[in-house]
Amino acid sequence: MENRKDLFSLNGKVALVTGAAYGIGYAMAKALADAGAKIVFNCRSERHMEEALAHYKEDGIEAKGYICDVTHEDEVRAMVADIEKSIGTVDILVNNAGIIKRIPMHEMSADEFREVVDIDLNAPFIVSKAVIPGMIAKGHGKIINVCSMMSELGRETVSAYAAAKGGLKMLTKNIASEYGEYNIQCNGIGPGYIATPQTAPLRERQADGSRHPFDSFIVAKTPAGRWGDPEDLAGPAVFLASDASNFVNGHILYVDGGILAYIGKQP
């Protein structure tokens, strides 16, 4: 019997992680690199690219970055073609790039709605479509879509985000259904509330030393009693990218500290 630890090895694998210049995308890319994968990522900003490459280098990770807008099919096709030519077939795709606009639905313009759906749902379709032929030819592939608790729940001011992430959940299931016969597994990771620089203002102590109201709300709704850490996504990402998950397909793994399982304490 092979060493069970080898099931989690990504040695020699090429992993494309979209939007992995910072935040949870970077955390997942780092986890895949630590497991042996070659990391490729994209972002839309030259400034973010320079900062990200420096960050990867500081962490001892050789990563290749592309300036690419994943909502533009021609740019994505060109990026994937270059990856296949210069590094190799994409074995692992993490569709992480995404945005959120917190605007009450009746105040949100149709263009704002479309922008969120374009990045959070259309882009995963575009990038997945670009890498699937190579995965079919190779006879194996892993696609991980970064979903959300909003793939299951609604909340004030996030109508476009919830619609897109709900759609991404179903795109995940459909890719699994359509390409499972080619030994391609497509699953999702649904992060809970993660402590990142972007969410730091929501966790700052108030002038009187009390918690921020949103911080109190999240901690009270989470059985774990805390925000998630980007590192909490490392194990799930490696699992879904590795041979350990070869018979897991069409599943959404929620990494939320138990929020979706919990009705909350009685007042």
Side-chain angles (χ1 to χ4, degrees), residues 99-177:
I99 63 168
I100 187 169
K101 289 181 180 290
R102 294 181 176 88
I103 305 170
M105 181 175 163
H106 69 283
E107 297 176 5
M108 185 176 228
S109 71
D111 284 343
E112 288 170 327
F113 189 94
R114 289 189 189 100
E115 182 184 5
V116 175
V117 172
D118 204 23
I119 295 172
D120 292 2
L121 180 56
N122 290 343
F125 161 77
I126 289 168
V127 186
S128 297
K129 176 184 172 183
V131 304
I132 283 172
M135 292 178 172
I136 291 174
K138 196 167 186 176
H140 187 46
K142 301 282 186 174
I143 298 174
I144 302 170
N145 291 325
V146 178
C147 296
S148 166
M149 290 187 300
M150 299 303 107
S151 298
E152 303 289 342
L153 300 173
R155 191 169 181 276
E156 299 85 349
T157 76
V158 295
S159 58
Y161 184 78
K165 292 298 186 178
L168 186 58
K169 175 183 73 172
M170 293 312 301
L171 178 63
T172 299
K173 292 176 179 289
N174 206 81
I175 292 172
S177 302

Side-chain angles (χ1 to χ4, degrees), residues 204-240:
E204 289 180 352
R205 290 284 175 171
Q206 303 300 286
D208 62 1
S210 64
R211 288 180 179 271
H212 188 289
F214 192 79
D215 184 16
S216 297
F217 167 69
I218 293 304
V219 171
K221 286 291 294 179
T222 308
R226 65 174 178 88
W227 288 62
D229 185 89
E231 284 298 309
D232 290 320
L233 299 167
V238 170
F239 168 64
L240 292 178

Side-chain angles (χ1 to χ4, degrees), residues 176-198:
S177 302
E178 194 164 352
Y179 297 101
E181 65 179 292
Y182 300 103
N183 196 26
I184 295 171
Q185 291 84 50
C186 181
N187 295 287
I189 288 180
Y193 286 91
I194 307 297
T196 65
Q198 289 72 37

